[in-house]
Amino acid sequence: MCGAQRNDARIKSEAISIVKAKTSTSVVRMQLELYFSEAQNTSTIPVNVGVILNFDTWNGKMGFSCINMALSDFYASNPHYRTRLVLNSRDSKSDVVGAAAAALDLIKNIEVQAIIGPQNSMQANFVIDLGDKARVPIISFSATSPSLSSLGSSYFFRVTQNDSSQVNAISAIVQKYKWREAVPIYVDNAYGKGIIPFLVDALQNVDARVPYRSVISPLATDDQIGEELYKLMTMQTRVFIVHMSTKLSYRFFNKAKEIGMMSEGYVWITTNGITDSLCSLKRSVLNSMHGVLGVKTYFQETKELENFTIRWERKFQEDNRAISNAELTVIGLWAYDAASALAMAIEKVGTTNFYFQKTNASSNLTELEAIGISQNGPKLHEALMGIKFQGLAGDFNFVNGQSQSSTFKIINVNGNGERLVAFWTPENGLSRKLNSGNTTTYFSSKENVGPIIWPGDSSSVPKGWVIPTNGKKLKIGVPVKNGFTEFVKVTYDPSCNRTQVTGYCVDVFNAVMKTLPYAVSYEFIPFANSSGGSAGSYNDLVYQVFLRNFDAVVGDITITANRSNFVDFSLPYTESGVSLVVPIMDNGTRNAWIFLKPLSRDLWITSGCFFVFIGFVVWVLEHRINDDFRGPPAHQIGTSLWYSFSTMVFAQREIVVSNLARFVVIIWVFVVLVLTQSYTASLTSLLTVQQLQPTITDINQLIKNGEYVGYQGGSFVLAILKKMNFDETKLKVYDTPEECDILLSKGSANGGIAGAIFEIPYMKLFLGQYCSKYTMVESIYKIDGFGFVFPVGSPLVSDVSRAVLNVTEGEKMKNIENAWLGKQNNCIDSKNKVSSASLSLASFWGLFLIAGVTSLSALIISMSMFLYKEREQIWISYHSEGSIWRRIHDTLRIFDRKNINFHIFRKRALQDESRIDSNHVIGASEASQNTKYLQSPSSYTTHTEPPFACLGTSGTSPGEYGDFNPNGLASQFEPAMELISCPNLDGTITLEIAHENY
């Protein structure tokens, strides 16, 4: 085999010398055919492969060394393979045209089967087109621009990572530290521009803006770099993302350190194009990059890689004795894997068809048109797409011609080199350790990133922006207005040619800015025309911030959804809402029926119904056991109503004996107490306090009646009124509180307005001046209050909003309000003078509910007890013949009977019996004594009938209906004596039978 290799080398050397000598094509073909003919007689078949690199650069030398070692290792491990790659190297000399010429030479003259290279993205553009035309695979291990993928060439294979794969890792860092803006700094070529669209999209996805893009020419001098850096220094943003070639980055960071931009407060993030080559940088360059964060390509450190690194360092030092301390980077690993993959694919394709199909010869064809087409290209393309193995840089495989590795390390540059602070993967985001099972998102914990030393040796996370001290002052726009100048007032002093801006909003803004942890320089600029008047509406003023004519706007600017489409607002510092203000009138006319006004109609009706209902419930509960609630129907109805209504003045004299009735009465008396006290208070107010009522109580009345309505000039309220379907001809503008007062005083019928629409802050100020004439009747629209206006994405917004909260929650805000809006506190709130409406059922329905439930419960319990006790008689009545109404009548008749078993009646019966026995003895004694006075003893006899024997003839007991005093009131405890004359059968009369009724 050694002899065959020496023969191959001899023939190859001769073929190359022929090409360099610009021998005719036919001679070259004859010599090459001889070469392949001799090679076929050996055990291996040489296959020409091109290599295009910049051999004057570190990556070019390292890459070519790794390619040679890859082929040597590959064929040493696979000596039985028939094919052998023959490297035909060309130096592009860092020139795009040189790379194109080298590719054309390799394809046309050498007829290479594939090309490894070129080295950068600018050179790759044209070379990829050549490879696509000739069906020659172009395998790049260092061209990273995403724009190359857009060429759509099926013969372009990228072993390195696409630059777009790292933009999400960069945006994760920006989101991690909540930076709101970032400025990309990139080289002005295809390599630099290719990543920008992807980077901007990734930043926007984490709510970070790109306010500026800094472009550095690849041929820029140090002075030109310094000029651009000075421009960046005057901006607010302090987060910079650097994407440029390694060589240019040396000078860039040296210049940044020189002018003081590597100090505290700055954030520098580099892409892997710079970070992957840190090991090759000098110590002075590393010192200038101290504190930089970098995204670096991750590859697993294996034993195989360690052994290769040792061998490569020894081999590279032997071949390049002038270079000391050479360190292998990931670019060398990609070159090694690229050469290995190509060798595998060539062997997989086989040993035939290693030739080009030539175009028809013609003197009119250009060099590009005359190139042939590789007959082995399609097969080699398919073979490369199927190659999968474990390379030095990790798993090797192509998906649409692109390597799929997408894991990155986040490193922190210090004077000693670099320090790992985190990993980033698409699945897990940022994490301290590379763990495929970790599902914690990168923004959920501060422990996901290790400690970082920031520029200026600071351990504090920079906030990402500052107010540049060497920049211009912030231009703060303020409105110019005639009315409500308590909020913003612009005055011009001609003596000193100075404009002074004062007011409530201005003082609040000044207090907020003093609260910020850093100094901000600003000046107020009135939004005025040439004559000193307002230059437009409030919407026009806000739009000036969008146009970048103002850096912010301070004033009585209301936060609205429409305005937020163009600008950002701080948190509001005033109350919110839009309200209707109308005149008030005295409605205190006295009349004979004013006593009915304290209670509303529904409350009067409900109260009357409950009086009747409670009387009925008490009658039902007391009728069978209380003589006061018995008697003729008219008497019973009168007693029940009298008892119920007399509770209004607590004059009821009837005694209820049922526990259920007592419970009902207690609840009802409490209800009556609340009602009477409320009625008394309301009536007192009606008779003694001035009665002021609004002329309009609902904004819909204004629309329905076609009344005129006023609104403040320049306000967004006009849009609200239009949305509410107000007739534009019925809308009138006022600019000052005095104008509004005049319009409201005239009234809608006399050329004025019936109501005025105010925002809450203006309404408070207006009512503070005219509290005795007007009142707010309705809040018609919900909005946010006044806020400070900033450009969209301004980093000031979050800090100012926090400062607004600090100011509004402290004493400072009260002092500012008292200084500018103190008028609203000098007058009693007009709402206190406006009488409330009549008391309604809504205020007392809970009491009535309790009384109703209590009464119904007592009624149900009482009736259940009655039905249970009288069940036998009711059962007999139920089974008797007759209609349903007859049965109901019988039940009611049973209910109408007195319950003589009630304990009061039993007690009374016992007392009556004892009295009768006593009176009977006395009567008998007196009768015996009186018989001696009779004319004829034989004509009179003493009749001893049982007591009350004669009562059966009357059919009704004297106490059945109760006894009544002269006032017609029942008296249960006043004894009444009756003399009953009962004629005896023999004509004698029994006297003095006493009956005492309770």
Side-chain angles (χ1 to χ4, degrees):
M1 175 172 281
C2 294
Q5 289 179 341
R6 286 193 295 270
N7 189 41
D8 290 345
R10 176 184 61 79
I11 298 175
K12 173 185 174 182
S13 176
E14 291 178 358
I16 293 175
S17 63
I18 292 173
V19 172
K20 290 183 177 180
K22 297 184 180 180
T23 313
S24 64
T25 305
S26 60
V27 174
V28 171
R29 182 178 293 114
M30 290 175 60
Q31 292 289 344
L32 292 178
E33 288 177 354
L34 176 63
Y35 170 77
F36 284 114
S37 176
E38 293 182 5
Q40 288 175 355
N41 295 327
T42 65
S43 59
T44 60
I45 300 175
V47 179
N48 281 321
V49 173
V51 178
I52 304 176
L53 297 173
N54 304 330
F55 288 106
D56 58 343
T57 64
W58 165 250
N59 287 338
K61 294 177 181 179
M62 177 181 58
F64 191 66
S65 174
C66 289
I67 291 172
N68 280 313
M69 289 189 67
L71 296 181
S72 177
D73 293 345
F74 181 78
Y75 291 122
S77 302
N78 301 281
H80 58 282
Y81 280 6
R82 295 288 306 279
T83 58
R84 294 292 185 272
L85 298 188
V86 178
L87 299 180
N88 297 269
S89 61
R90 297 290 186 270
D91 185 3
S92 64
K93 299 181 180 180
S94 302
D95 182 59
V96 175
V97 177
L104 183 61
D105 174 52
L106 290 171
I107 294 174
K108 181 180 179 182
N109 298 326
I110 307 302
E111 294 185 348
V112 293
Q113 299 299 307
I115 294 177
I116 300 177
Q119 189 167 322
N120 59 52
S121 301
M122 292 72 68
Q123 298 172 353
N125 267 310
F126 185 71
V127 174
I128 291 173
D129 289 336
L130 286 177
D132 199 45
K133 180 178 179 59
R135 297 181 184 176
V136 174
I138 308 298
I139 306 172
S140 177
F141 59 86
S142 56
T144 60
S145 175
S147 61
L148 300 179
S149 299
S150 63
L151 298 177
S153 173
S154 58
Y155 286 89
F156 174 60
F157 295 87
R158 177 157 37 197
V159 180
T160 182
Q161 290 176 324
N162 190 325
D163 280 338
S164 63
S165 62
Q166 62 184 314
V167 296
N168 289 327
I170 296 173
S171 67
I173 299 173
V174 173
Q175 186 182 29
K176 169 71 179 178
Y177 297 105
K178 300 179 181 180
W179 295 320
R180 311 312 303 164
E181 290 185 346
V183 172
I185 305 173
Y186 57 96
V187 63
D188 190 15
N189 55 28
Y191 166 71
K193 296 176 182 178
I195 193 177
I196 297 304
F198 300 92
L199 179 60
V200 172
D201 289 345
L203 292 174
Q204 288 178 347
N205 289 337
V206 296
D207 296 327
R209 293 178 60 251
V210 178
Y212 178 74
R213 303 181 187 187
S214 178
V215 183
I216 305 294
S217 171
L219 303 177
T221 63
D222 288 350
D223 291 339
Q224 291 172 332
I225 294 175
E227 182 180 350
E228 184 64 22
L229 288 173
Y230 277 117
K231 183 187 298 184
L232 296 175
M233 185 183 291
T234 62
M235 298 179 181
Q236 292 183 353
T237 307
R238 286 295 180 264
V239 180
F240 304 107
I241 302 171
V242 183
H243 179 67
M244 57 182 62
S245 64
T246 306
K247 186 176 181 180
L248 182 59
S249 68
Y250 300 165
R251 296 190 294 119
F252 179 85
F253 281 106
N254 282 330
K255 195 65 178 179
K257 183 177 179 61
E258 178 185 328
I259 66 176
M261 293 185 69
M262 298 302 296
S263 58
E264 185 176 358
Y266 286 88
V267 178
W268 297 92
I269 303 174
T270 59
T271 59
N272 63 352
I274 300 173
T275 316
D276 287 343
S277 301
L278 285 178
C279 59
S280 64
L281 300 182
K282 298 179 180 179
R283 178 61 61 87
S284 60
V285 179
L286 289 176
N287 288 334
S288 66
M289 295 179 65
H290 183 73
V292 171
L293 284 180
V295 177
K296 187 172 184 178
T297 304
Y298 168 78
F299 52 88
Q300 188 174 4
E301 296 181 359
T302 61
K303 188 67 176 178
E304 181 183 359
L305 176 59
E306 182 180 353
N307 294 333
F308 172 77
T309 302
I310 295 173
R311 290 191 299 110
W312 176 86
E313 289 178 351
R314 183 170 56 248
K315 173 66 174 172
F316 188 84
Q317 200 65 45
E318 292 175 357
D319 298 339
N320 301 274
R321 298 187 179 277
I323 301 176
S324 60
N325 300 323
E327 292 192 27
L328 183 64
T329 69
V330 70
I331 293 179
L333 304 183
W334 284 330
Y336 185 98
D337 290 345
S340 300
L342 181 59
M344 292 180 189
I346 291 291
E347 180 66 24
K348 185 177 181 181
V349 168
T351 60
T352 59
N353 296 330
F354 290 129
Y355 66 91
F356 278 63
Q357 180 181 353
K358 296 298 182 178
T359 58
N360 294 328
S362 174
S363 59
N364 296 327
L365 293 178
T366 63
E367 290 290 323
L368 293 178
E369 293 174 330
I371 62 175
I373 298 176
S374 173
Q375 299 302 297
N376 202 42
K379 293 183 179 180
L380 185 56
H381 170 269
E382 294 298 325
L384 284 171
M385 292 296 292
I387 295 296
K388 294 182 180 180
F389 66 96
Q390 183 66 34
L392 293 180
D395 293 335
F396 187 98
N397 69 296
F398 287 119
V399 176
N400 296 326
Q402 173 68 54
S403 175
Q404 295 305 297
S405 175
S406 58
T407 302
F408 294 95
K409 297 190 294 184
I410 309 300
I411 58 98
N412 184 206
V413 181
N414 52 45
N416 297 323
E418 63 185 56
R419 183 169 55 88
L420 176 66
V421 295
F423 292 95
W424 183 90
T425 61
E427 297 82 12
N428 302 323
L430 293 176
S431 58
R432 290 289 297 274
K433 296 181 180 180
L434 188 61
N435 182 5
S436 60
N438 180 22
T439 58
T440 303
T441 52
Y442 60 85
F443 52 82
S444 62
S445 173
K446 293 184 178 180
E447 303 301 325
N448 291 340
V449 177
I452 296 174
I453 302 300
W454 303 95
D457 274 333
S458 173
S459 58
S460 301
V461 178
K463 65 177 178 291
W465 68 277
V466 294
I467 300 299
T469 56
N470 56 346
K472 297 180 180 179
K473 294 182 178 180
L474 294 181
K475 296 183 294 182
I476 310 296
V478 293
V480 176
K481 52 193 303 180
N482 296 326
F484 297 97
T485 55
E486 290 83 357
F487 294 101
V488 178
K489 184 177 182 180
V490 178
T491 56
Y492 177 71
D493 188 356
S495 61
C496 58
N497 193 24
R498 181 181 177 183
T499 301
Q500 186 177 9
V501 181
T502 58
Y504 169 77
C505 299
V506 175
D507 282 1
V508 172
F509 181 76
N510 290 333
V512 166
M513 300 308 285
K514 290 179 181 178
T515 309
L516 294 178
Y518 45 85
V520 179
S521 179
Y522 57 90
E523 60 179 341
F524 294 110
I525 300 177
F527 184 52
N529 53 29
S530 58
S531 61
S534 177
S537 66
Y538 277 52
N539 287 337
D540 297 331
L541 175 58
V542 170
Y543 196 66
Q544 297 303 310
V545 177
F546 176 77
L547 297 177
R548 302 286 176 169
N549 294 329
F550 290 132
D551 297 312
V553 166
V554 171
D556 46 346
I557 309 296
T558 304
I559 302 172
T560 64
N562 180 54
R563 292 170 179 172
S564 65
N565 293 327
F566 305 95
V567 295
D568 280 349
F569 286 93
S570 69
L571 289 177
Y573 55 90
T574 63
E575 294 183 59
S576 61
V578 176
S579 300
L580 172 64
V581 173
V582 298
I584 52 179
M585 61 181 179
D586 187 3
N587 193 28
T589 304
R590 307 297 186 262
N591 57 65
W593 303 101
I594 194 172
F595 68 90
L596 296 175
K597 190 172 181 181
L599 305 183
S600 62
R601 178 180 300 177
D602 57 349
L603 185 54
W604 277 117
I605 295 174
T606 303
S607 300
C609 292
F610 260 83
F611 274 112
V612 176
F613 174 67
I614 295 298
F616 169 74
V617 172
V618 172
W619 176 82
V620 171
L621 299 177
E622 294 289 313
H623 176 66
R624 304 186 74 243
I625 60 177
N626 193 336
D627 289 332
D628 288 340
F629 292 88
R630 298 186 64 81
H635 169 72
Q636 295 182 50
I637 294 174
T639 301
S640 300
L641 295 178
W642 156 259
Y643 183 86
S644 178
F645 280 94
S646 63
T647 57
M648 285 193 297
V649 292
F650 309 103
Q652 67 276 13
R653 297 182 59 184
E654 291 77 10
I655 302 300
V656 291
V657 296
S658 168
N659 288 331
L660 291 174
R662 290 170 179 172
F663 182 65
V664 171
V665 171
I666 289 173
I667 298 298
W668 176 244
V669 168
F670 174 74
V671 175
V672 171
L673 175 65
V674 175
L675 275 175
T676 54
Q677 294 296 324
S678 301
Y679 174 86
T680 302
S682 182
L683 182 60
T684 302
S685 175
L686 289 172
L687 294 175
T688 58
V689 179
Q690 183 184 18
Q691 300 304 302
L692 300 177
Q693 294 289 348
T695 56
I696 299 292
T697 59
D698 185 2
I699 193 170
N700 292 320
Q701 290 180 343
L702 297 174
I703 302 175
K704 182 179 179 181
N705 299 335
E707 303 283 0
Y708 284 92
V709 177
Y711 67 94
Q712 187 179 355
S715 172
F716 73 98
V717 172
L718 176 60
I720 295 178
L721 295 177
K722 290 181 179 179
K723 187 183 297 184
M724 297 179 68
N725 297 322
F726 270 94
D727 186 354
E728 291 190 42
T729 61
K730 298 293 184 179
L731 302 179
K732 292 190 176 183
V733 180
Y734 60 85
D735 293 321
T736 65
E738 293 75 18
E739 291 182 15
C740 183
D741 175 45
I742 294 173
L743 291 173
L744 285 171
S745 299
K746 289 182 179 180
S748 180
N750 299 316
I753 57 177
I757 307 299
F758 282 97
E759 296 177 56
I760 295 295
Y762 301 118
M763 182 207 69
K764 286 189 172 183
L765 189 61
F766 179 75
L767 293 182
Q769 295 178 256
Y770 304 101
C771 59
S772 62
K773 300 173 63 176
Y774 310 105
T775 185
M776 185 195 82
V777 294
E778 185 181 12
S779 180
I780 63 174
Y781 207 79
K782 179 66 177 178
I783 59 169
D784 288 328
F786 295 163
F788 303 124
V789 183
F790 295 94
V792 173
S794 172
L796 272 174
V797 174
S798 57
D799 288 346
V800 169
S801 294
R802 295 188 191 96
V804 166
L805 293 177
N806 292 331
V807 171
T808 54
E809 294 175 358
E811 291 294 327
K812 184 66 176 177
M813 194 68 174
K814 295 181 180 179
N815 296 334
I816 296 175
E817 289 180 351
N818 292 333
W820 290 101
L821 309 178
K823 292 181 181 180
Q824 64 186 29
N825 300 322
N826 296 333
C827 190
I828 301 176
D829 191 353
S830 60
K831 289 183 180 179
N832 296 332
K833 290 188 175 184
V834 178
S835 63
S836 59
S838 299
L839 299 176
S840 65
L841 179 61
S843 303
F844 300 96
W845 71 269
L847 289 174
F848 287 117
L849 177 64
I850 294 173
V853 171
T854 303
S855 302
L856 287 175
S857 300
L859 199 61
I860 292 172
I861 294 173
S862 175
M863 295 308 298
S864 299
M865 294 173 62
F866 162 72
L867 294 175
Y868 178 77
K869 291 180 179 180
E870 305 293 341
R871 60 186 180 278
E872 293 181 359
Q873 297 187 40
I874 295 174
W875 182 258
I876 295 173
S877 174
Y878 179 77
H879 286 280
S880 63
E881 297 181 358
S883 64
I884 186 64
W885 297 110
R886 178 63 182 175
R887 297 172 185 175
I888 295 174
H889 177 269
D890 291 341
T891 303
L892 293 177
R893 182 175 55 81
I894 296 172
F895 175 77
D896 189 51
R897 295 175 185 172
K898 179 188 292 186
N899 184 6
I900 60 175
N901 293 323
F902 194 63
H903 68 92
I904 291 181
F905 292 138
R906 291 201 305 270
K907 179 180 178 182
R908 185 183 301 168
L910 292 175
Q911 291 174 349
D912 290 345
E913 184 178 354
S914 64
R915 287 179 181 273
I916 292 171
D917 291 340
S918 174
N919 293 336
H920 178 69
V921 173
I922 294 172
S925 175
E926 291 178 354
S928 64
Q929 293 179 4
N930 291 335
T931 55
K932 63 183 177 179
Y933 296 105
L934 298 175
Q935 295 178 356
S936 175
S938 60
S939 61
Y940 297 94
T941 61
T942 302
H943 186 69
T944 58
E945 288 288 328
F948 294 92
C950 63
L951 295 179
T953 60
S954 64
T956 305
S957 173
E960 179 74 20
Y961 301 106
D963 296 322
F964 294 84
N965 60 22
N967 295 327
L969 299 175
S971 176
Q972 292 177 325
F973 303 101
E974 201 171 305
M977 298 296 297
E978 287 191 35
L979 289 178
I980 308 299
S981 297
C982 298
N984 295 323
L985 298 175
D986 57 358
T988 62
I989 300 175
T990 302
L991 303 174
E992 294 186 342
I993 298 175
H995 175 68
E996 186 175 346
N997 184 22
Y998 292 91

